[in-house]
């Protein structure tokens, strides 16, 4: 029996810093938000048939709401369609965003290691910027995210 071949993409979400804040409602990046934005982009750019062919293995496996790093799974046959749709996403909710592909891999283990390394580097940078104002809650939240990615499997 041949295993189902997937591609895993590590992407980073950049929120537009120049956006007009309508109230104090910051967007929270979640698996649902990212998945919906990508599926909508596939539908707009490739139609219903393109969306249906992509949905077989498409899944947002991991999202870190602090560092905004995500792992996305797509089938080997459809990953280029998903990747191009990701680059065409311009907003999540009402918040303008950009996606940046950091790593593309055929295994979840390699992608997990790349995402973990990126998360750790971004959190170190975050700690330097925030300095003494870093709360224990933020540190615990980040540790929870790192623990979550370490146990990520198919």
């Amino acid at each position: 029996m041949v295993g189902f071949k997937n591609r895993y993409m590590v992407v980073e979400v950049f929120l537009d810093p120049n956006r007009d804040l309508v109230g104090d409602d910051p967007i929270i990046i979640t698996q649902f938000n990212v998945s919906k934005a990508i599926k909508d982009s596939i539908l707009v750019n490739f139609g219903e048939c393109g969306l249906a062919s992509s949905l077989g293995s498409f899944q947002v496996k991991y999202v870190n709401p602090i560092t905004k790093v995500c792992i996305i799974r797509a089938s080997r046959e459809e990953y280029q369609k998903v990747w191009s749709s990701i680059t065409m996403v311009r907003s999540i909710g009402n918040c303008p965003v950009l996606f940046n592909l950091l790593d593309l891999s055929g295994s979840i283990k390699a992608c997990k290691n790349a995402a973990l390394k990126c998360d750790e580097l971004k959190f170190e940078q975050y700690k330097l910027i925030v300095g003494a104002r870093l709360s224990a809650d933020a540190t615990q939240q980040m540790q929870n995210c790192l623990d979550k990615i370490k146990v990520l499997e198919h």
Side-chain angles (χ1 to χ4, degrees), residues 126-145:
Y126 176 73
K127 285 196 289 191
L128 288 174
I129 292 169
V130 174
R133 296 177 292 144
L134 184 65
S135 68
D137 186 44
T139 304
Q140 183 60 44
Q141 248 186 329
M142 189 60 197
Q143 190 58 49
N144 290 344
C145 290

Side-chain angles (χ1 to χ4, degrees), residues 14-22 94-98:
F14 291 110
L15 301 177
D16 184 4
N18 298 323
R19 68 187 171 104
D20 294 330
L21 289 174
V22 184
N94 292 327
C95 182
V97 297
L98 292 173

Side-chain angles (χ1 to χ4, degrees), residues 35-48:
S35 179
K36 181 173 180 351
I38 295 169
K39 287 177 186 176
D40 289 347
S41 179
I42 295 170
L43 181 62
V44 166
N45 295 296
F46 296 98
E48 291 178 2

Side-chain angles (χ1 to χ4, degrees), residues 22-148:
V22 184
D24 292 328
D25 188 23
I27 186 77
I28 297 173
I29 303 297
T30 64
Q31 287 180 321
F32 176 77
N33 290 347
V34 173
S35 179
K36 181 173 180 351
I38 295 169
K39 287 177 186 176
D40 289 347
S41 179
I42 295 170
L43 181 62
V44 166
N45 295 296
F46 296 98
E48 291 178 2
C49 187
L51 178 62
S53 66
S54 303
L55 287 181
S57 68
F58 174 78
Q59 184 181 10
V60 177
K61 298 287 283 181
Y62 167 77
V63 174
N64 186 326
I66 299 169
T67 61
K68 296 174 181 46
V69 171
C70 310
I71 296 178
I72 299 167
R73 181 185 72 188
S75 70
R76 189 166 62 177
E77 293 79 24
E78 300 292 327
Y79 86 93
Q80 291 174 326
K81 186 184 299 175
V82 173
W83 183 4
S84 62
S85 296
I86 288 169
T87 63
M88 292 184 252
V89 171
R90 292 292 166 242
S91 65
I92 294 178
N94 292 327
C95 182
V97 297
L98 292 173
F99 283 83
N100 180 32
L101 182 72
L102 300 173
D103 188 51
L104 175 66
S105 179
S107 74
I108 187 74
K109 187 175 184 178
C111 231
K112 179 173 72 169
N113 291 337
L116 189 60
K117 182 178 176 182
C118 183
D119 270 350
E120 288 170 346
L121 290 172
K122 287 184 98 175
F123 191 60
E124 288 301 317
Q125 185 179 32
Y126 176 73
K127 285 196 289 191
L128 288 174
I129 292 169
V130 174
R133 296 177 292 144
L134 184 65
S135 68
D137 186 44
T139 304
Q140 183 60 44
Q141 248 186 329
M142 189 60 197
Q143 190 58 49
N144 290 344
C145 290
L146 293 175
D147 292 343
K148 184 178 170 185

